[in-house]
């Protein structure tokens, strides 16, 4: 039960804790992170909670795997945004230095 609660609550906690660091993103990426990241994390966790609470034993298993998918999707989303942000900043430095 404790692992299930950690899986359910960890993505929203990480998202909320990382909001202050999102200020280092470019403005468009910051907006994208705040909106799409919130949708992934909160809607994904709410869906997992629904599966676990209202669909019985098989729903609990589905909730576990769905929450793992939410964590993986959020991690991939952040990694892609970090890579795009790095490329955008590198491009700006290259253009301003030339």
């Amino acid at each position: 039960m404790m692992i299930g609660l950690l899986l359910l609550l960890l993505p929203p906690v990480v998202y909320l804790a990382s909001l202050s660091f999102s200020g280092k993103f470019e403005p468009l990426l910051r907006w994208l992170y705040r909106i799409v990241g919130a949708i992934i994390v909160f809607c994904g966790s709410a869906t997992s909670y629904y599966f676990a609470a209202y669909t019985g034993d098989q729903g609990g298993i589905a909730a576990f795997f769905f929450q793992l998918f939410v964590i993986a999707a959020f991690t991939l989303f952040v990694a892609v945004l970090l890579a795009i942000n790095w490329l955008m900043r590198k491009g700006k430095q290259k253009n301003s230095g030339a």
Side-chain angles (χ1 to χ4, degrees), residues 47-64:
T47 304
S48 293
Y49 179 75
Y50 173 80
F51 285 157
Y54 298 109
T55 56
D57 290 339
Q58 290 181 347
I61 295 167
F64 173 76

Side-chain angles (χ1 to χ4, degrees), residues 61-76:
I61 295 167
F64 173 76
F65 286 115
F66 191 78
Q67 194 63 17
L68 289 180
F69 172 74
V70 168
I71 293 169
F74 183 67
T75 303
L76 180 65

Side-chain angles (χ1 to χ4, degrees), residues 5-42:
L5 282 175
L6 280 174
L7 279 173
L8 186 64
L9 297 177
L10 188 62
V13 168
V14 169
Y15 172 77
L16 292 173
S18 66
L19 276 177
S20 63
F21 297 109
S22 69
K24 297 183 183 208
F25 282 134
E26 296 293 322
L28 177 64
L29 295 178
R30 182 180 322 126
W31 178 84
L32 193 65
Y33 175 76
R34 290 180 178 177
I35 300 299
V36 176
I39 290 171
I40 290 172
V41 168
F42 290 108

